Amino acid sequence: MFSSTTSAVSWASSGNAATQRGQAQQAHGDGYFRNQQEAGRGLMGQSTYVAPNGATVALPHGWQPNTTQVYQGNTYHVDASGQYHVLTGNGWWVPVTPQR
């Protein structure tokens, strides 16, 4: 027979499991939403990149290698391998990476 302490622990564990399930469902929904947004950007010829400060920016993914572009107030350069870089305020070219 279960004691009241065991029953209370079981009830608390069941509540924790429900909370974790809810959090997992929310994370799944959030991920689905992000993927749908990225697919839409892809249809518009853009991809999401992460800047060095952690900010995300949607940039055209059709820029040719060895070109420099001014886009939305920032200067970007695509090197020979296709890597995007942004010109910072101190004159340094810093890579922006595709969001995964």
Side-chain angles (χ1 to χ4, degrees):
M1 180 165 229
F2 291 110
S3 69
S4 62
T5 304
T6 304
S7 179
V9 169
S10 293
W11 185 254
S13 294
S14 134
N16 288 341
T19 299
Q20 290 174 347
R21 179 187 49 79
Q23 290 170 341
Q25 285 177 320
Q26 183 65 47
H28 180 270
D30 292 347
Y32 179 82
F33 179 73
R34 281 190 307 273
N35 288 341
Q36 292 300 305
Q37 285 183 313
E38 191 63 26
R41 280 189 281 278
L43 290 172
M44 294 185 314
Q46 297 180 336
S47 296
T48 302
Y49 291 84
V50 180
N53 64 0
T56 58
V57 59
L59 298 173
H61 57 241
W63 289 340
Q64 297 301 308
N66 296 317
T67 61
T68 301
Q69 310 287 333
V70 176
Y71 185 74
Q72 295 182 343
N74 290 313
T75 303
Y76 297 92
H77 179 75
V78 184
D79 67 18
S81 67
Q83 171 69 51
Y84 283 41
H85 298 77
V86 62
L87 183 62
T88 63
N90 62 7
W92 291 88
W93 289 102
V94 181
V96 291
T97 55
Q99 183 176 355
R100 302 282 175 217

